[in-house]
Amino acid sequence: MAAPAAAGSGEGPRGPLLDDLMPWSVRPLRTGRPWVTAPDAASLRARWERLARAEGAEREQLFGATRSRTPQTAVAALPGQATATGRFAREPGPCPEPVRILHGPFDEQWLLPDHRLIDAARPELWRVADAHQLFAVEHGRVPQDTGPALSVTALLPDGHSPAGRPGRIRPLYRRPGGLEPNLAPGLLTLLRGRHGDAVAPQSVLAWVLAAARHSPAGCVVPLPADTARWSAGVELGQELLRLQLRGARGGARPRLPGGRRPYVRAAVPPAPSALAYDPDEEVLALGTGRISPVPAGAWEFRVGGVRMLELWFERRTAVAGAAGLEAVRPRSWPQEWTSELLELIALLALLAELRPRQDELAHGPEIGVDELRAAGVLPVAAAARRPASVLDHQEEGPDGQFALL
C-alpha cells in the first residue's frame, strides 16, 4: 500500500488537498496567557483594570511573562486596533475594547486586542479581517474522526483545536475589501469552464465547506466533474455557511422550527455543577437547570472526538485551578450565556441534520489531480502561499513609530 502523500503535495485520497486549493494559510493564534480571552467581555475589562492597578512584583506575576511577552516588551499595534504600543510596564493606557472571536470550532468568546499581551497574534490575519472577509478554519484530526473537517466564520478565529494537532486558518481573500481570492491561480478559470461563469470565490468556499474530508495527508476537497453535483454542493455549502455565520452579513441566526425549538424549562442555577443529557426525554441538565427539547444530534456533535456542548460548558464553569487574572470571572451564571447556549444547540442540531447530504457529495466523477496539473493549477506557486503586501497601509509600530507595509 502506498504511503499517504505529504500535505501540500496536491495528492491525497479522493481529490486535491485544501492546502493547494486555498494556498495561503496562517497558524493558529498563540495567546501565551489564557486570561486575555473570556466568554464575557466584562471579565476582560475587570482583569485589565486589576493588572493596570498592580505594581512591581504583583504586576509581573499577574501578567504571566513568557519569552515572547513581558511587561517590558515593545511591539507594534494590531492592524485595525487603536491600542497603545508603549511598554505596558511604563504606560498601560486605557483598556482596549474587547473584540468578538471564534475560540475553537463553534465557541464565540472575547479577546483583549492588545499586541503587548499576545505572544503570537498573527497580524496578517487582522490586516485582512473586514466586512468582506471569511475565514476557513481546519479542525485537528484524531483517529476515526467523524466530525467536520473545517468550519467557516466571519469573526477573527484563534484556530484553537479541542483535540489533535491544530489546523490552519485560511482567509478567503488575500487583501482587504474582498480583493484577490485566496485560491490557487487558475482554479476559478478551470471551474468556470466546467460549471459556468457564475462560479465565484464564495461559491468555491461553499463547496469546500460542504465537501471537505479528513485524511492522513490533510484536509481533502474532491472537485466534481459534473455540474449538477457541483450546484447541489454549493447550495448545501451556502446553507452551512449561513448557519455558521450566525447572523453575520445580514443573515438569519440559527433557529429550529417551532415545536422543536429548545426552551429553558427550569432556570439555570447561579453555579451549575455538572452537565448531563437524557436522550429519552431530550433534556439537557445544567445542575438543576433544564433545557428541552435538545436533539440528540446537537448533544453528540463532536469535533476532534470532543462533544461541543460539553466543551462549551466546561470553559464557563471550570473554576478548579483558576488563579490570578483567570479567577476574575462572573460570580453567577449570566443570562447571556443561556441565550448563547440555546443558539449553539440550534446550530449544532441543524448542522447534524445536514451531514447525510454532505456524505452524498462523496460519490461521482471528479476533476483529478492530473487535470489540475494540465490546467496549471498545480503545482501552486510559492508566492500564492505567502501573504500579500499591503503597500499603502500604515500601522503604528513599537512606542508610537509608524511603519509602511
Side-chain angles (χ1 to χ4, degrees), residues 116-130:
R116 300 171 298 176
L117 308 180
I118 306 172
D119 280 9
R122 314 302 179 199
E124 59 271 39
L125 287 179
W126 297 77
R127 201 165 287 130
V128 298
D130 61 13

Side-chain angles (χ1 to χ4, degrees), residues 15 61 181 306 396:
Q61 182 179 11
V306 178
E396 186 173 340

